[in-house]
Amino acid sequence: MSAESQALTPTEMDTIFNVTKARTCFPALQQLHQIYFDNAGGSQVLSTVASSVKNYLEETNVQLGASYNVAQQSTESYGKGVEAAAKFMNADVDEIVIGPSTTQLFSNLSLILNLPSDSEIVLSSLDHEANISSWLRLAKVQNLKVKWWKPASTSPNDLMLTPEDLRPLLSEKTKLVACTHTSNVLGTIHDIRAIADEVHKISGARLCVDGVALAPHREVDVKALGADFYSFSWYKVYGPHISILYASHAAQETLGSLGHYFHTGKDLSTKLGLAAASYELVASIPQIVSYFGPDKRKTWEAITVHEEKLQAILLEYLHKREDVTIYGETSSEKKLRVPVVSFTVKGKSSKDIVERIESKSNFGCRWGHFYSKRLVDDLLGLEKCDGVVRKKK
């Protein structure tokens, strides 16, 4: 049955995702002094998540693995958090590791990814630096050749990563391709399944995907996507400041380990976790998962319909302004983009625009390159006007 034939009715959507009810789940939305348009940098936290962290610290804040009662409770809470995290992205428990940030997890991964000295890696110029700098360091240390994957189009509205543009960069020496699922500046969604299929035509090649900008807006199913490595940050998805990295069983076969010599486990957490997963924060992850209800897929569908309506309002307004340039997909169609909207105004500094907005209202937004500096400065040429103005619902 097609996705269209299964579309939710308005009544079903309101039952599954009621906006008024959803707002009550976030303490920050109960105040009036600030309206948040900077959620691409970090979402607000569910009240249940905050309570979970508080309860853990007050009641079960001990080391894991001991035999006494409270330690057993703590270990169980942590374990349930890891299980919920894996299930959320359709991974096995031994295929994930939780850490402080996506940047740190990619960096750790690069330290244990051993490639032949004549290998080639392909990096995307649209990416957040988290999915670039670690691989450039790896290339320098292991004497690898770096190829840059740039969109064929130079139009600010049509900067996309496609299998067709990737294909000429691949060779029998390609061992790693790194790209973003959705640019944190452009908001345009890339077809990761098609890209993964193209990468895997090369024997031994792996695909590493930064899903940080996508995960707050769409269901993540790593098995369906076909990525070998995939990471996103829980603090962008209503949770605390921790992140998750997936590595398929096949991809893990070529990984080394950062663990102590007496830690002989073969799971991903042992290999690169370095005990950096905060116990109380991991234990709160089941509260994030439960927010999506018994049918996560239908909840995501209802959320995307709502987001499509929200971004349409802003995009339609910006389209009417002849002095405004929108970066990324200009359509509000949910299949094409997430509600991360970036723009500039002709003759105006992005910094000045944000400061004017904030001087006249309680709207909070941001200006800059948002760690996608190669995209903003080199491809868009916006360094002199302070990057873009970025708003996200």
Side-chain angles (χ1 to χ4, degrees):
M1 187 176 291
S2 68
E4 288 74 15
S5 65
Q6 296 179 357
L8 299 174
T9 67
T11 300
E12 288 175 324
M13 285 190 290
D14 187 64
T15 300
I16 295 170
F17 180 72
N18 179 278
V19 177
T20 301
K21 182 179 179 181
R23 289 180 63 87
T24 65
C25 297
F26 297 87
L29 302 186
Q30 308 311 306
Q31 51 72 36
L32 301 176
H33 67 270
Q34 188 76 74
I35 297 175
Y36 299 97
F37 274 89
D38 187 32
N39 298 307
S43 66
Q44 295 306 308
V45 178
L46 289 159
S47 60
T48 52
V49 168
S51 295
S52 175
V53 173
K54 177 178 180 291
N55 292 340
Y56 185 99
L57 291 174
E58 290 182 348
E59 299 173 12
T60 59
N61 187 33
V62 297
Q63 281 292 329
L64 306 182
S67 58
Y68 58 91
N69 184 54
V70 174
Q72 290 182 4
Q73 292 178 43
S74 180
T75 303
E76 182 180 5
S77 295
Y78 180 88
K80 287 181 177 179
V82 174
E83 291 172 2
K87 185 177 180 181
F88 189 81
M89 64 192 313
N90 192 27
D92 295 333
V93 170
D94 61 352
E95 291 180 307
I96 68 163
V97 59
I98 298 175
S101 68
T102 291
T103 300
Q104 183 67 65
L105 289 174
F106 279 157
S107 180
N108 289 0
L109 176 62
S110 72
L111 295 175
I112 61 173
L113 186 62
N114 300 307
L115 303 177
S117 60
D118 63 343
S119 296
E120 297 176 352
I121 63 176
V122 180
L123 305 180
S124 153
S125 57
L126 300 189
D127 271 59
H128 185 290
E129 196 65 18
N131 204 21
I132 296 177
S133 60
S134 293
W135 310 124
L136 289 177
R137 184 172 62 247
L138 174 69
K140 183 177 181 179
V141 171
Q142 296 191 16
N143 192 31
L144 312 176
K145 182 177 181 179
V146 177
K147 294 182 178 180
W148 287 98
W149 180 11
K150 297 182 179 180
S153 173
T154 58
S155 167
N157 307 136
D158 194 30
L159 296 173
M160 285 193 66
L161 301 174
T162 67
E164 292 75 22
D165 295 336
L166 173 63
R167 193 172 298 128
L169 300 174
L170 301 177
S171 75
E172 69 279 357
K173 293 184 178 181
T174 303
K175 296 302 177 185
L176 179 71
V177 176
C179 72
T180 181
H181 201 156
T182 299
S183 163
N184 70 329
V185 170
L186 305 175
T188 306
I189 301 172
H190 297 126
D191 188 347
I192 294 300
R193 177 75 251 187
I195 291 170
D197 289 343
E198 191 66 37
V199 171
H200 293 150
K201 290 178 181 178
I202 307 299
S203 178
R206 306 298 187 193
L207 175 64
C208 180
V209 180
D210 178 349
V212 172
L214 187 285
H217 307 285
R218 299 292 185 274
E219 181 179 16
V220 174
D221 183 337
V222 290
K223 301 296 174 65
L225 291 170
D228 300 288
F229 307 108
Y230 193 103
S231 184
F232 71 82
S233 300
W234 290 104
Y235 68 93
K236 306 296 178 78
V237 194
Y238 323 136
H241 203 295
I242 50 176
S243 295
I244 185 170
L245 171 68
Y246 159 82
S248 69
H249 288 129
Q252 289 187 51
E253 292 177 0
T254 58
L255 298 181
S257 177
L258 297 177
H260 298 311
Y261 76 93
F262 51 82
H263 287 162
T264 57
K266 301 298 183 182
D267 59 289
L268 191 63
S269 185
T270 298
K271 290 181 177 180
L272 59 79
L274 295 176
S278 170
Y279 299 166
E280 67 272 17
L281 304 187
V282 173
S284 73
I285 292 176
Q287 303 302 325
I288 304 172
V289 176
S290 66
Y291 173 76
F292 292 89
D295 192 330
K296 183 178 63 169
R297 184 154 298 175
K298 285 187 176 181
T299 302
W300 274 118
E301 182 181 348
I303 289 174
T304 57
V305 170
H306 177 64
E307 288 184 339
E308 184 178 55
K309 294 176 182 177
L310 291 179
Q311 67 181 358
I313 296 170
L314 176 58
L315 288 168
E316 287 171 9
Y317 168 75
L318 295 175
H319 277 305
K320 295 176 183 178
R321 295 283 301 253
E322 294 183 358
D323 58 344
V324 167
T325 299
I326 299 171
Y327 298 93
E329 174 60 50
T330 58
S331 167
S332 61
E333 169 58 51
K334 63 182 184 295
K335 293 181 180 179
L336 302 178
R337 63 146 45 246
V338 299
V340 176
V341 179
S342 298
F343 63 92
T344 55
V345 180
K346 186 176 181 180
K348 302 290 185 181
S349 159
S350 294
K351 178 177 181 288
D352 290 344
I353 292 171
V354 170
E355 290 179 346
R356 287 287 298 276
I357 291 172
E358 294 175 350
S359 70
K360 295 183 176 182
S361 72
N362 59 349
F363 285 55
C365 54
R366 294 285 291 275
W367 57 272
H369 57 70
F370 307 101
Y371 292 86
S372 292
K373 191 169 175 61
R374 298 171 197 270
L375 163 62
V376 172
D377 290 359
D378 301 340
L379 291 188
L380 301 181
L382 298 176
E383 182 177 11
K384 293 183 179 180
C385 66
D386 298 320
V388 299
V389 177
R390 185 181 71 175
K391 294 178 179 288
K392 177 192 163 188
K393 70 89 194 168

